[in-house]
Structure formats: structure tokens, C-alpha cells
Amino acid sequence: MMRRRRRRMIVGAAVVSNAAANNAASQQAAADQAAAAAAPAPAPAEADLNTQLQQLAQLHTTGVLTDEEFAAAKAKLLAS
């Protein structure tokens, strides 16, 4: 009878330990998902502004826009 009780205690302790490990793992997974969801994504307006500025710079570099035209277009984009 003592062996059965000891075996039950060992098995019970293993079940509790396993449940605690599973609980900790699921809490960590939930925290990871929450952190990923909370990470700020770049605003579409900022990405669009960066793209437009890069296009202007490329036009200026290739000589399509003069220095004055580039400065005016850039100031107009940054003001909006």
C-alpha cells in the first residue's frame, strides 16, 4: 500500500510539474504574440513620403530636375 501511495505521489507530482511547464509555455507564447501585435508598423503616409522623396532625389541626380526645382518640390512634400 505504501508503494501505491508513493507511486501516486510521484505520478501526481509529475503531472503538476508538466502542467506548470505547459502553462508557462502558453503564457510565454501569448506574451510573444502580444509583443508582435504591439510593435508599431510604419505609417503608410511616412512610407509614401519616403518613396516620393527618393523619386525626387533620383530625378535630381539624373538631371531631370534642377537644384531649384528639386528644392521646391522637396519643400512642398515636407510641408504637406
Side-chain angles (χ1 to χ4, degrees):
M1 180 132 143
M2 190 67 141
R3 286 186 181 179
R4 280 187 184 176
R5 185 177 297 168
R6 184 173 177 188
R7 188 177 298 159
R8 284 182 189 166
M9 288 175 36
I10 292 171
V11 171
V15 169
V16 170
S17 176
N18 192 18
N22 287 341
N23 188 21
S26 65
Q27 285 178 350
Q28 181 63 36
D32 291 345
Q33 287 176 348
E46 291 178 11
D48 188 45
L49 178 63
N50 286 338
T51 302
Q52 289 176 341
L53 286 172
Q54 288 174 350
Q55 289 172 345
L56 277 178
Q58 186 177 15
L59 291 172
H60 181 249
T61 303
T62 58
V64 175
L65 294 177
T66 63
D67 290 340
E68 294 81 21
E69 292 171 330
F70 173 72
K74 184 173 87 171
K76 183 178 176 183
L77 279 176
L78 293 175
S80 60

